[in-house]
Structures are given as C-alpha cells and as structure tokens.
Amino acid sequence: MDKALGRLSGAAGTLAVATFTANTCLYTVDGGERAVMFDTLRGGILPGVINEGTHFMIPVIQKPVIMDVRTKAREIPSVTGTKDLQMVNIKLRVLWRPVIESLPRLYRELGTDFDERVLPSIGNEVLKSVVAQYNAEELLSKRGEVSDRIKKELIKRGEQFYLTLDDVAITHLTFGREYMKAIEAKQVASQEAERQQWVVKKAEQERQAVVTRAEGEAEAALIITSAMEKTGNAIIEVRRIDAAKEIAGKLANSRNITYLPSGAGGSGASEGDDEPES
C-alpha cells in the first residue's frame, strides 16, 4: 500500500513539473504571427525573429512578444486644402503589413501599437503635400494621377517606419458646400452659353435663308425685266394667259360651279326677253 501511494505521489509530482514547464517554459506562435524575445540578461530585445510554432523560453528571464504580421486594411481620413484654396475631404484605404525582418527594431522604437502611431501621421502628411499641388478641378479630372502620387509617397514614408504598403487608393473625395454650389452655377452657365450659341446659329441660318431668297427674287426680277425689254408686253400676255388657264382649271374641278354656254344659240335669257309686239 505504501509503495502504491509512493508511486502515485511520484507520478503526480512529475505531472506537476511537466505542467509547470509547459506553462512557463513553452509558448506558441500561431499562423500569421511572429515573435520577438525580450531577454533581461542580454540587454532587452534580441535581434532574431521567431517563426510560427512552439518554442522554449527561460522563465522570468525571457518574455516573448507576439506580433501580428498579416495584411490589414486601414482608412485614413483627412481635411486639406487644394492649390486654389478649396477645402477637400479625402479618405485613403491602405493595405499594410509590418516588415518581418525588422520586427525587433519596430517593437523597440514604436511598440506593438505602431500602426496607430505611424499610419495616421504619415497619411495626413502625404495627403496634404500632394493635394496642395493640384487645383480642385484637377483632383477630379486627374484622380488616377493623384492616387498614384499619394501611393508612391506613402510607400516611401512607410519604409522609414518598417511598414510595407501593398495598396493605397482614394475611396472618398468631396468638396465644401460653397465649391459645390460654384460647380453647379458653372454648369448652369455653361448650358446657358451653349443654348445662346444655338440661338445665334439658328438666327444666322435664318438670315442666310432670307438673303438667299431675296437674291433669288432679285435675279428673277432681272430676268423678267430683260425679257420685257426684248419682247415688249408679250411676256405679260403669256403670264396672263397662264394665270387664266390655272384659274379655269381650278374652277372646272370645283363641284359648286356650273358653266352655261355663251353665244346666240345658248343665251336663253336674251331670247326670253324678246316678246312679240301686240
């Protein structure tokens, strides 16, 4: 009985030691994470980066610092001024991640909340410097160019803080109320100017038509005058005959008009008027 109790107590002691060792001497780095080691005997943060997996540490003397190295998205808002002194609200979407090889220096200089310290600061700095080189109208017409310049400048600034920026894009761009009203007024004025140009063109076309018609009538008058000088009144008689034929043709086609033959044989009224003398 005593031997059994001794074995049981030995197994319990071994298990306790194993549990203590697992809790205090082992640590795990999960997927998408890296660790840096703080060592009190060797002067703080060690230069190496610890990869994923389970690792051994010396209790009390060493302490691992787990850091997330996956790509994250962050939105950076800013209110800045353009080259023509217009205020603009702009937002950037940044996909970023820390440089794994530089994690010891990153933690030593900025801590674990480095993204809160760095990204808003450099984002606003780059936005203000780039946007100030463009007019408000150019921000709309050259949005792609502006976005590329902001991306290049922000990548350069991120490298100084051991950050890699995978993508930078403008997601929101609005101007102040006064500028928006000015844009609307400009659009209305442009439409009115186009309408006035159309009115002017229409009036010019009508004037050209009147001129052309007058020139045609003048030319016709000259032709008639020349013909009368050559033939006398013959052309007038011809025109009169043509007009009479046209009128007769219209009257002949009308249903409300009846023609009575004229002459001695067909004048019934004249025959009825001649009564025999008594």
Side-chain angles (χ1 to χ4, degrees):
M1 185 67 180
D2 294 336
K3 292 182 179 179
L5 291 175
R7 292 176 181 176
L8 182 61
S9 61
T14 303
L15 180 61
V17 171
T19 303
F20 174 79
T21 302
N23 290 335
T24 59
C25 299
L26 297 177
Y27 66 95
T28 301
V29 180
D30 295 329
E33 297 178 340
R34 297 293 186 274
V36 295
M37 183 64 71
F38 179 80
D39 193 313
T40 57
L41 296 181
R42 288 189 283 180
I45 298 296
L46 300 181
V49 178
I50 302 170
N51 294 323
E52 303 167 353
T54 301
H55 305 275
F56 178 80
M57 68 176 179
I58 303 174
V60 180
I61 296 176
Q62 292 181 331
K63 178 183 178 182
V65 178
I66 308 298
M67 304 179 72
D68 192 349
V69 296
R70 288 169 290 194
T71 300
K72 300 178 182 178
R74 185 181 180 90
E75 191 174 69
I76 303 176
S78 179
V79 179
T80 184
T82 62
K83 188 177 181 180
D84 53 352
L85 304 180
Q86 297 293 336
M87 299 305 297
V88 56
N89 297 317
I90 188 170
K91 288 184 180 179
L92 287 182
R93 180 186 57 82
V94 179
L95 296 179
W96 66 275
R97 54 187 170 85
V99 178
I100 294 178
E101 295 78 8
S102 302
L103 285 179
R105 297 182 62 182
L106 181 61
Y107 178 75
R108 186 183 300 114
E109 297 177 9
L110 299 172
T112 55
D113 59 343
F114 51 86
D115 58 324
E116 294 290 341
R117 297 185 179 186
V118 173
L119 290 177
S121 176
I122 64 175
N124 279 278
E125 175 189 348
V126 171
L127 280 173
K128 292 180 184 297
S129 64
V130 174
V131 171
Q133 302 177 27
Y134 292 88
N135 295 328
E137 186 176 353
E138 292 176 337
L139 289 179
L140 299 175
S141 61
K142 300 180 179 180
R143 182 166 178 166
E145 177 183 336
V146 176
S147 181
D148 290 341
R149 290 194 59 179
I150 292 175
K151 181 178 180 179
K152 291 179 181 179
E153 294 296 329
L154 203 54
I155 289 176
K156 291 181 181 179
R157 294 288 288 137
E159 290 175 351
Q160 300 176 8
F161 295 95
Y162 319 113
L163 299 179
T164 298
L165 304 183
D166 295 325
D167 185 58
V168 178
I170 298 175
T171 59
H172 183 74
L173 181 64
T174 59
F175 297 93
R177 293 183 178 179
E178 295 181 357
Y179 183 74
M180 296 304 295
K181 290 181 179 179
I183 291 178
E184 292 178 359
K186 183 178 179 181
Q187 291 177 347
V188 171
S190 177
Q191 293 175 356
E192 181 64 21
E194 291 180 357
R195 192 183 72 83
Q196 292 297 332
Q197 290 179 357
W198 179 81
V199 171
V200 171
K201 290 181 179 179
K202 181 180 179 181
E204 179 65 20
Q205 291 176 354
E206 291 178 352
R207 187 187 67 83
Q208 291 290 343
V210 171
V211 171
T212 303
R213 190 182 306 112
E215 291 177 350
E217 292 177 354
E219 185 177 356
L222 289 176
I223 294 173
I224 293 173
T225 303
S226 177
M228 290 181 64
E229 291 178 353
K230 294 180 179 179
T231 61
N233 296 330
I235 189 171
I236 297 177
E237 295 296 332
V238 171
R239 291 290 181 89
R240 186 179 300 170
I241 294 171
D242 292 338
K245 288 181 178 181
E246 183 178 357
I247 294 172
K250 292 181 178 179
L251 294 176
N253 294 328
S254 177
R255 297 180 180 180
N256 297 326
I257 297 177
T258 302
Y259 287 96
L260 296 177
S262 61
S267 180
S270 59
E271 293 177 355
D273 291 339
D274 294 337
E275 296 179 357
E277 294 181 359
S278 56

